[in-house]
mmCIF file of all heavy atoms in Angstrom:
data_model
loop_
_atom_site.group_PDB
_atom_site.id
_atom_site.type_symbol
_atom_site.label_atom_id
_atom_site.label_comp_id
_atom_site.label_asym_id
_atom_site.label_seq_id
_atom_site.Cartn_x
_atom_site.Cartn_y
_atom_site.Cartn_z
ATOM 1 N N TYR A 1 30.834 35.917 30.114
ATOM 2 C CA TYR A 1 31.798 35.901 28.935
ATOM 3 C C TYR A 1 31.476 37.192 28.139
ATOM 4 O O TYR A 1 30.419 37.683 28.099
ATOM 5 C CB TYR A 1 31.857 34.752 27.987
ATOM 6 C CG TYR A 1 32.263 33.488 28.673
ATOM 7 C CD1 TYR A 1 31.856 32.304 28.143
ATOM 8 C CD2 TYR A 1 32.935 33.346 29.937
ATOM 9 C CE1 TYR A 1 32.197 31.004 28.659
ATOM 10 C CE2 TYR A 1 33.369 32.111 30.291
ATOM 11 C CZ TYR A 1 32.883 30.979 29.791
ATOM 12 O OH TYR A 1 33.211 29.809 30.349
ATOM 13 N N ILE A 2 32.507 37.771 27.504
ATOM 14 C CA ILE A 2 32.280 38.786 26.526
ATOM 15 C C ILE A 2 31.776 38.204 25.222
ATOM 16 O O ILE A 2 32.386 37.172 24.706
ATOM 17 C CB ILE A 2 33.606 39.630 26.210
ATOM 18 C CG1 ILE A 2 34.085 40.252 27.491
ATOM 19 C CG2 ILE A 2 33.380 40.641 25.182
ATOM 20 C CD1 ILE A 2 35.548 40.882 27.405
ATOM 21 N N ASP A 3 30.700 38.655 24.657
ATOM 22 C CA ASP A 3 30.144 38.123 23.451
ATOM 23 C C ASP A 3 29.328 39.182 22.763
ATOM 24 O O ASP A 3 29.474 40.414 23.004
ATOM 25 C CB ASP A 3 29.345 36.952 23.726
ATOM 26 C CG ASP A 3 28.015 37.246 24.618
ATOM 27 O OD1 ASP A 3 27.832 38.382 24.897
ATOM 28 O OD2 ASP A 3 27.292 36.335 24.958
ATOM 29 N N GLN A 4 28.478 38.816 21.610
ATOM 30 C CA GLN A 4 27.864 39.836 20.877
ATOM 31 C C GLN A 4 26.814 40.557 21.782
ATOM 32 O O GLN A 4 26.611 41.814 21.501
ATOM 33 C CB GLN A 4 27.051 39.051 19.778
ATOM 34 C CG GLN A 4 26.459 40.072 18.751
ATOM 35 C CD GLN A 4 27.487 40.958 18.077
ATOM 36 O OE1 GLN A 4 28.578 40.486 17.661
ATOM 37 N NE2 GLN A 4 27.204 42.179 18.042
ATOM 38 N N GLN A 5 26.318 39.940 22.835
ATOM 39 C CA GLN A 5 25.321 40.802 23.748
ATOM 40 C C GLN A 5 26.167 41.910 24.382
ATOM 41 O O GLN A 5 25.601 43.008 24.546
ATOM 42 C CB GLN A 5 24.904 39.798 24.827
ATOM 43 C CG GLN A 5 23.984 38.738 24.322
ATOM 44 C CD GLN A 5 22.522 39.026 24.102
ATOM 45 O OE1 GLN A 5 22.162 40.277 24.088
ATOM 46 N NE2 GLN A 5 21.607 38.202 23.975
ATOM 47 N N THR A 6 27.447 41.715 24.767
ATOM 48 C CA THR A 6 28.228 42.729 25.254
ATOM 49 C C THR A 6 28.334 43.844 24.272
ATOM 50 O O THR A 6 28.198 45.004 24.665
ATOM 51 C CB THR A 6 29.668 42.182 25.656
ATOM 52 O OG1 THR A 6 29.499 40.919 26.319
ATOM 53 C CG2 THR A 6 30.360 43.092 26.736
ATOM 54 N N ILE A 7 28.752 43.501 23.111
ATOM 55 C CA ILE A 7 28.925 44.524 22.036
ATOM 56 C C ILE A 7 27.604 45.308 21.740
ATOM 57 O O ILE A 7 27.606 46.483 21.646
ATOM 58 C CB ILE A 7 29.504 43.930 20.728
ATOM 59 C CG1 ILE A 7 30.770 43.085 20.907
ATOM 60 C CG2 ILE A 7 29.572 44.958 19.465
ATOM 61 C CD1 ILE A 7 31.869 43.955 21.621
ATOM 62 N N ASP A 8 26.538 44.613 21.628
ATOM 63 C CA ASP A 8 25.237 45.273 21.496
ATOM 64 C C ASP A 8 24.960 46.260 22.532
ATOM 65 O O ASP A 8 24.337 47.322 22.367
ATOM 66 C CB ASP A 8 24.121 44.230 21.311
ATOM 67 C CG ASP A 8 24.200 43.411 20.074
ATOM 68 O OD1 ASP A 8 25.006 43.690 19.157
ATOM 69 O OD2 ASP A 8 23.540 42.367 20.018
ATOM 70 N N TYR A 9 25.262 45.924 23.818
ATOM 71 C CA TYR A 9 24.924 46.715 24.953
ATOM 72 C C TYR A 9 25.775 48.015 24.874
ATOM 73 O O TYR A 9 25.333 49.051 25.186
ATOM 74 C CB TYR A 9 25.210 45.972 26.153
ATOM 75 C CG TYR A 9 24.803 46.859 27.444
ATOM 76 C CD1 TYR A 9 23.481 46.896 27.801
ATOM 77 C CD2 TYR A 9 25.823 47.369 28.240
ATOM 78 C CE1 TYR A 9 23.149 47.618 28.960
ATOM 79 C CE2 TYR A 9 25.444 48.118 29.263
ATOM 80 C CZ TYR A 9 24.145 48.369 29.705
ATOM 81 O OH TYR A 9 23.844 49.009 30.825
ATOM 82 N N LEU A 10 27.069 47.867 24.594
ATOM 83 C CA LEU A 10 27.966 48.964 24.535
ATOM 84 C C LEU A 10 27.431 50.048 23.447
ATOM 85 O O LEU A 10 27.587 51.260 23.703
ATOM 86 C CB LEU A 10 29.462 48.552 24.223
ATOM 87 C CG LEU A 10 30.102 47.747 25.283
ATOM 88 C CD1 LEU A 10 31.515 47.244 24.840
ATOM 89 C CD2 LEU A 10 30.238 48.410 26.578
ATOM 90 N N LYS A 11 26.944 49.340 22.384
ATOM 91 C CA LYS A 11 26.385 50.260 21.284
ATOM 92 C C LYS A 11 25.147 51.046 21.829
ATOM 93 O O LYS A 11 24.921 52.262 21.631
ATOM 94 C CB LYS A 11 26.100 49.479 20.143
ATOM 95 C CG LYS A 11 27.325 48.939 19.235
ATOM 96 C CD LYS A 11 26.954 48.124 18.058
ATOM 97 C CE LYS A 11 28.174 47.608 17.373
ATOM 98 N NZ LYS A 11 27.846 46.774 16.142
ATOM 99 N N LEU A 12 24.278 50.204 22.468
ATOM 100 C CA LEU A 12 22.945 50.777 22.973
ATOM 101 C C LEU A 12 23.252 51.788 23.912
ATOM 102 O O LEU A 12 22.694 52.928 23.987
ATOM 103 C CB LEU A 12 22.224 49.547 23.703
ATOM 104 C CG LEU A 12 20.843 50.100 24.265
ATOM 105 C CD1 LEU A 12 19.990 50.489 23.371
ATOM 106 C CD2 LEU A 12 20.289 48.926 25.187
ATOM 107 N N THR A 13 24.311 51.712 24.794
ATOM 108 C CA THR A 13 24.515 52.684 25.867
ATOM 109 C C THR A 13 25.532 53.880 25.417
ATOM 110 O O THR A 13 25.871 54.666 26.166
ATOM 111 C CB THR A 13 25.146 52.127 27.118
ATOM 112 O OG1 THR A 13 26.317 51.267 26.718
ATOM 113 C CG2 THR A 13 24.107 51.217 27.846
ATOM 114 N N GLY A 14 25.605 53.963 23.971
ATOM 115 C CA GLY A 14 26.311 55.165 23.441
ATOM 116 C C GLY A 14 27.813 55.267 23.717
ATOM 117 O O GLY A 14 28.420 56.293 23.483
ATOM 118 N N ARG A 15 28.444 53.993 23.825
ATOM 119 C CA ARG A 15 29.891 54.073 23.848
ATOM 120 C C ARG A 15 30.464 54.394 22.492
ATOM 121 O O ARG A 15 29.788 54.114 21.501
ATOM 122 C CB ARG A 15 30.429 52.723 24.205
ATOM 123 C CG ARG A 15 30.757 52.507 25.727
ATOM 124 C CD ARG A 15 29.785 52.538 26.684
ATOM 125 N NE ARG A 15 30.155 51.920 28.082
ATOM 126 C CZ ARG A 15 29.427 51.318 28.789
ATOM 127 N NH1 ARG A 15 28.135 51.202 28.499
ATOM 128 N NH2 ARG A 15 29.929 50.815 29.921
ATOM 129 N N GLU A 16 31.658 54.992 22.422
ATOM 130 C CA GLU A 16 32.208 55.468 21.179
ATOM 131 C C GLU A 16 32.476 54.167 20.315
ATOM 132 O O GLU A 16 32.898 53.123 20.795
ATOM 133 C CB GLU A 16 33.542 56.217 21.448
ATOM 134 C CG GLU A 16 33.317 57.439 22.129
ATOM 135 C CD GLU A 16 32.416 58.496 21.277
ATOM 136 O OE1 GLU A 16 32.566 58.522 20.049
ATOM 137 O OE2 GLU A 16 31.733 59.140 21.949
ATOM 138 N N PRO A 17 32.268 54.281 19.002
ATOM 139 C CA PRO A 17 32.432 53.201 18.099
ATOM 140 C C PRO A 17 33.859 52.539 18.125
ATOM 141 O O PRO A 17 34.055 51.466 18.061
ATOM 142 C CB PRO A 17 32.230 53.814 16.696
ATOM 143 C CG PRO A 17 31.326 55.037 16.927
ATOM 144 C CD PRO A 17 31.628 55.550 18.274
ATOM 145 N N GLU A 18 34.882 53.569 18.346
ATOM 146 C CA GLU A 18 36.252 53.086 18.418
ATOM 147 C C GLU A 18 36.453 52.080 19.616
ATOM 148 O O GLU A 18 37.262 51.158 19.645
ATOM 149 C CB GLU A 18 37.222 54.142 18.522
ATOM 150 C CG GLU A 18 37.225 55.086 17.303
ATOM 151 C CD GLU A 18 36.129 56.074 17.285
ATOM 152 O OE1 GLU A 18 35.429 56.256 18.402
ATOM 153 O OE2 GLU A 18 36.004 56.792 16.321
ATOM 154 N N GLN A 19 35.732 52.486 20.780
ATOM 155 C CA GLN A 19 35.886 51.670 21.926
ATOM 156 C C GLN A 19 35.157 50.306 21.747
ATOM 157 O O GLN A 19 35.652 49.279 22.211
ATOM 158 C CB GLN A 19 35.239 52.407 23.146
ATOM 159 C CG GLN A 19 35.235 51.722 24.477
ATOM 160 C CD GLN A 19 36.757 51.383 24.925
ATOM 161 O OE1 GLN A 19 37.628 52.334 24.729
ATOM 162 N NE2 GLN A 19 36.977 50.325 25.552
ATOM 163 N N VAL A 20 33.908 50.388 21.115
ATOM 164 C CA VAL A 20 33.302 49.095 20.922
ATOM 165 C C VAL A 20 34.105 48.103 19.881
ATOM 166 O O VAL A 20 34.187 46.957 20.296
ATOM 167 C CB VAL A 20 31.978 49.423 20.211
ATOM 168 C CG1 VAL A 20 31.133 48.125 19.844
ATOM 169 C CG2 VAL A 20 31.093 50.278 21.191
ATOM 170 N N ALA A 21 34.791 48.683 18.976
ATOM 171 C CA ALA A 21 35.675 47.997 18.081
ATOM 172 C C ALA A 21 36.781 47.330 18.817
ATOM 173 O O ALA A 21 37.209 46.245 18.653
ATOM 174 C CB ALA A 21 36.029 48.787 16.989
ATOM 175 N N LEU A 22 37.413 48.135 19.764
ATOM 176 C CA LEU A 22 38.541 47.659 20.511
ATOM 177 C C LEU A 22 38.198 46.461 21.383
ATOM 178 O O LEU A 22 38.812 45.377 21.444
ATOM 179 C CB LEU A 22 39.036 48.850 21.369
ATOM 180 C CG LEU A 22 40.087 48.458 22.428
ATOM 181 C CD1 LEU A 22 41.399 47.939 21.668
ATOM 182 C CD2 LEU A 22 40.372 49.548 23.484
ATOM 183 N N VAL A 23 36.914 46.663 22.059
ATOM 184 C CA VAL A 23 36.505 45.570 22.980
ATOM 185 C C VAL A 23 36.381 44.197 22.108
ATOM 186 O O VAL A 23 36.847 43.091 22.482
ATOM 187 C CB VAL A 23 35.166 45.896 23.602
ATOM 188 C CG1 VAL A 23 34.568 44.537 24.343
ATOM 189 C CG2 VAL A 23 35.285 47.010 24.563
ATOM 190 N N GLU A 24 35.684 44.263 21.014
ATOM 191 C CA GLU A 24 35.443 43.094 20.217
ATOM 192 C C GLU A 24 36.829 42.440 19.665
ATOM 193 O O GLU A 24 37.058 41.318 19.812
ATOM 194 C CB GLU A 24 34.472 43.366 18.990
ATOM 195 C CG GLU A 24 34.270 42.134 18.243
ATOM 196 C CD GLU A 24 33.108 42.367 17.198
ATOM 197 O OE1 GLU A 24 32.427 43.511 17.262
ATOM 198 O OE2 GLU A 24 32.830 41.410 16.464
ATOM 199 N N HIS A 25 37.629 43.436 19.220
ATOM 200 C CA HIS A 25 38.912 42.846 18.612
ATOM 201 C C HIS A 25 39.801 42.250 19.612
ATOM 202 O O HIS A 25 40.350 41.311 19.455
ATOM 203 C CB HIS A 25 39.599 44.061 17.882
ATOM 204 C CG HIS A 25 41.081 43.600 17.330
ATOM 205 N ND1 HIS A 25 41.140 42.819 16.236
ATOM 206 C CD2 HIS A 25 42.208 44.085 17.675
ATOM 207 C CE1 HIS A 25 42.478 42.681 15.990
ATOM 208 N NE2 HIS A 25 43.107 43.479 16.770
ATOM 209 N N TYR A 26 39.917 43.001 20.750
ATOM 210 C CA TYR A 26 40.797 42.504 21.925
ATOM 211 C C TYR A 26 40.338 41.141 22.447
ATOM 212 O O TYR A 26 41.081 40.306 22.668
ATOM 213 C CB TYR A 26 40.889 43.515 23.028
ATOM 214 C CG TYR A 26 41.798 43.213 24.172
ATOM 215 C CD1 TYR A 26 43.045 43.720 24.198
ATOM 216 C CD2 TYR A 26 41.460 42.297 25.109
ATOM 217 C CE1 TYR A 26 44.083 43.427 25.178
ATOM 218 C CE2 TYR A 26 42.442 41.941 26.175
ATOM 219 C CZ TYR A 26 43.653 42.532 26.186
ATOM 220 O OH TYR A 26 44.601 42.214 27.145
ATOM 221 N N ALA A 27 39.010 41.076 22.628
ATOM 222 C CA ALA A 27 38.387 39.817 23.200
ATOM 223 C C ALA A 27 38.729 38.585 22.239
ATOM 224 O O ALA A 27 39.068 37.488 22.705
ATOM 225 C CB ALA A 27 37.025 39.918 23.534
ATOM 226 N N LYS A 28 38.462 38.851 21.049
ATOM 227 C CA LYS A 28 38.558 37.742 19.948
ATOM 228 C C LYS A 28 40.079 37.468 19.803
ATOM 229 O O LYS A 28 40.435 36.231 19.555
ATOM 230 C CB LYS A 28 37.944 38.136 18.609
ATOM 231 C CG LYS A 28 36.384 38.207 18.645
ATOM 232 C CD LYS A 28 35.878 38.584 17.330
ATOM 233 C CE LYS A 28 34.280 38.384 17.422
ATOM 234 N NZ LYS A 28 33.648 38.856 16.097
ATOM 235 N N THR A 29 40.980 38.480 19.969
ATOM 236 C CA THR A 29 42.397 38.217 19.740
ATOM 237 C C THR A 29 43.064 37.463 20.847
ATOM 238 O O THR A 29 43.883 36.639 20.670
ATOM 239 C CB THR A 29 43.146 39.500 19.495
ATOM 240 O OG1 THR A 29 42.523 40.188 18.427
ATOM 241 C CG2 THR A 29 44.645 39.270 19.176
ATOM 242 N N THR A 30 42.609 37.729 22.198
ATOM 243 C CA THR A 30 43.220 37.171 23.250
ATOM 244 C C THR A 30 42.572 35.968 23.818
ATOM 245 O O THR A 30 43.024 35.386 24.862
ATOM 246 C CB THR A 30 43.286 38.213 24.351
ATOM 247 O OG1 THR A 30 41.969 38.669 24.754
ATOM 248 C CG2 THR A 30 44.141 39.526 23.878
ATOM 249 N N GLY A 31 41.445 35.517 23.195
ATOM 250 C CA GLY A 31 40.825 34.364 23.746
ATOM 251 C C GLY A 31 39.783 34.619 24.830
ATOM 252 O O GLY A 31 39.357 33.732 25.529
ATOM 253 N N LEU A 32 39.457 35.894 25.034
ATOM 254 C CA LEU A 32 38.461 36.270 25.964
ATOM 255 C C LEU A 32 36.908 36.302 25.431
ATOM 256 O O LEU A 32 36.046 36.461 26.131
ATOM 257 C CB LEU A 32 38.622 37.674 26.619
ATOM 258 C CG LEU A 32 39.952 37.560 27.525
ATOM 259 C CD1 LEU A 32 40.153 39.035 28.028
ATOM 260 C CD2 LEU A 32 39.801 36.665 28.766
ATOM 261 N N TRP A 33 36.848 36.045 24.168
ATOM 262 C CA TRP A 33 35.500 35.964 23.515
ATOM 263 C C TRP A 33 34.825 34.723 23.788
ATOM 264 O O TRP A 33 35.501 33.582 23.972
ATOM 265 C CB TRP A 33 35.737 36.163 21.983
ATOM 266 C CG TRP A 33 34.427 36.427 21.207
ATOM 267 C CD1 TRP A 33 33.754 35.430 20.556
ATOM 268 C CD2 TRP A 33 33.740 37.644 21.146
ATOM 269 N NE1 TRP A 33 32.569 36.037 19.917
ATOM 270 C CE2 TRP A 33 32.587 37.354 20.232
ATOM 271 C CE3 TRP A 33 33.802 38.939 21.581
ATOM 272 C CZ2 TRP A 33 31.706 38.413 19.915
ATOM 273 C CZ3 TRP A 33 32.990 39.876 21.388
ATOM 274 C CH2 TRP A 33 31.843 39.592 20.468
ATOM 275 N N ALA A 34 33.548 34.719 23.985
ATOM 276 C CA ALA A 34 32.790 33.595 24.485
ATOM 277 C C ALA A 34 33.063 32.330 23.554
ATOM 278 O O ALA A 34 33.223 31.079 24.179
ATOM 279 C CB ALA A 34 31.254 33.912 24.428
ATOM 280 N N ASP A 35 33.198 32.432 22.256
ATOM 281 C CA ASP A 35 33.425 31.319 21.417
ATOM 282 C C ASP A 35 34.669 30.534 21.750
ATOM 283 O O ASP A 35 34.697 29.265 21.638
ATOM 284 C CB ASP A 35 33.468 31.626 19.966
ATOM 285 C CG ASP A 35 32.099 32.134 19.537
ATOM 286 O OD1 ASP A 35 31.117 31.915 20.214
ATOM 287 O OD2 ASP A 35 32.008 32.813 18.400
ATOM 288 N N ALA A 36 35.750 31.297 22.223
ATOM 289 C CA ALA A 36 36.997 30.602 22.633
ATOM 290 C C ALA A 36 37.071 29.968 23.953
ATOM 291 O O ALA A 36 37.957 29.277 24.276
ATOM 292 C CB ALA A 36 38.085 31.721 22.490
ATOM 293 N N LEU A 37 35.918 30.246 24.630
ATOM 294 C CA LEU A 37 35.959 29.750 26.011
ATOM 295 C C LEU A 37 34.985 28.504 26.139
ATOM 296 O O LEU A 37 34.783 28.108 27.333
ATOM 297 C CB LEU A 37 35.508 30.734 26.991
ATOM 298 C CG LEU A 37 36.456 31.895 27.087
ATOM 299 C CD1 LEU A 37 35.869 33.191 27.759
ATOM 300 C CD2 LEU A 37 37.617 31.522 27.974
ATOM 301 N N VAL A 38 34.504 27.971 25.045
ATOM 302 C CA VAL A 38 33.499 26.849 25.137
ATOM 303 C C VAL A 38 34.155 25.630 25.761
ATOM 304 O O VAL A 38 33.580 24.724 26.246
ATOM 305 C CB VAL A 38 32.847 26.584 23.764
ATOM 306 C CG1 VAL A 38 31.916 27.698 23.387
ATOM 307 C CG2 VAL A 38 33.865 26.315 22.696
ATOM 308 N N THR A 39 35.530 25.589 25.655
ATOM 309 C CA THR A 39 36.374 24.437 26.160
ATOM 310 C C THR A 39 36.974 24.739 27.448
ATOM 311 O O THR A 39 37.743 23.887 28.003
ATOM 312 C CB THR A 39 37.403 23.987 25.082
ATOM 313 O OG1 THR A 39 38.295 25.222 25.016
ATOM 314 C CG2 THR A 39 36.865 23.554 23.804
ATOM 315 N N ALA A 40 36.517 25.889 28.187
ATOM 316 C CA ALA A 40 37.099 26.053 29.472
ATOM 317 C C ALA A 40 36.689 25.065 30.436
ATOM 318 O O ALA A 40 35.619 24.550 30.497
ATOM 319 C CB ALA A 40 36.544 27.533 29.948
ATOM 320 N N GLU A 41 37.613 24.746 31.332
ATOM 321 C CA GLU A 41 37.436 23.671 32.335
ATOM 322 C C GLU A 41 37.392 24.232 33.654
ATOM 323 O O GLU A 41 38.320 25.061 34.004
ATOM 324 C CB GLU A 41 38.477 22.600 32.138
ATOM 325 C CG GLU A 41 38.438 21.792 30.830
ATOM 326 C CD GLU A 41 39.568 20.667 30.795
ATOM 327 O OE1 GLU A 41 40.341 20.586 31.782
ATOM 328 O OE2 GLU A 41 39.625 20.076 29.681
ATOM 329 N N TYR A 42 36.486 23.748 34.470
ATOM 330 C CA TYR A 42 36.392 24.189 35.869
ATOM 331 C C TYR A 42 36.567 22.904 36.765
ATOM 332 O O TYR A 42 36.053 21.935 36.494
ATOM 333 C CB TYR A 42 35.070 24.986 36.138
ATOM 334 C CG TYR A 42 34.783 26.056 35.310
ATOM 335 C CD1 TYR A 42 34.168 25.955 34.040
ATOM 336 C CD2 TYR A 42 35.216 27.394 35.688
ATOM 337 C CE1 TYR A 42 34.025 27.114 33.245
ATOM 338 C CE2 TYR A 42 35.014 28.437 34.865
ATOM 339 C CZ TYR A 42 34.281 28.300 33.705
ATOM 340 O OH TYR A 42 34.097 29.413 32.875
ATOM 341 N N GLU A 43 37.206 23.310 37.980
ATOM 342 C CA GLU A 43 37.197 22.124 38.953
ATOM 343 C C GLU A 43 35.872 21.778 39.374
ATOM 344 O O GLU A 43 35.583 20.574 39.765
ATOM 345 C CB GLU A 43 38.119 22.620 40.155
ATOM 346 C CG GLU A 43 39.578 22.609 39.825
ATOM 347 C CD GLU A 43 40.367 22.775 41.086
ATOM 348 O OE1 GLU A 43 39.929 22.537 42.157
ATOM 349 O OE2 GLU A 43 41.632 23.014 40.966
ATOM 350 N N ARG A 44 34.922 22.597 39.514
ATOM 351 C CA ARG A 44 33.591 22.311 39.977
ATOM 352 C C ARG A 44 32.572 23.165 38.957
ATOM 353 O O ARG A 44 32.731 24.245 38.653
ATOM 354 C CB ARG A 44 33.369 22.926 41.354
ATOM 355 C CG ARG A 44 32.141 22.687 42.032
ATOM 356 C CD ARG A 44 32.065 23.266 43.416
ATOM 357 N NE ARG A 44 30.757 23.097 43.925
ATOM 358 C CZ ARG A 44 30.271 23.961 44.966
ATOM 359 N NH1 ARG A 44 30.960 24.976 45.365
ATOM 360 N NH2 ARG A 44 29.170 23.652 45.487
#
């Protein structure tokens, strides 16, 4: 999942601040952030 570890890594590897902000905002807005996926269900 996309989470704070992802954001920290993007910063560590020198990605542009605007790109890092986009990743966090998009993931949190669309339900792709880890916190929104704790109720995800899998067949297996």
Side-chain angles (χ1 to χ4, degrees):
Y1 298 158
I2 298 171
D3 62 6
Q4 190 58 45
Q5 295 277 14
T6 318
I7 301 304
D8 292 345
Y9 183 79
L10 294 176
K11 291 177 180 176
L12 176 67
T13 50
R15 262 63 164 217
E16 293 300 321
E18 298 81 6
Q19 181 62 34
V20 178
L22 171 64
V23 171
E24 184 169 356
H25 179 66
Y26 185 97
K28 288 181 174 178
T29 302
T30 61
L32 291 178
W33 190 258
D35 293 349
L37 292 166
V38 292
T39 57
E41 296 181 2
Y42 300 91
E43 285 189 12
R44 185 182 177 204

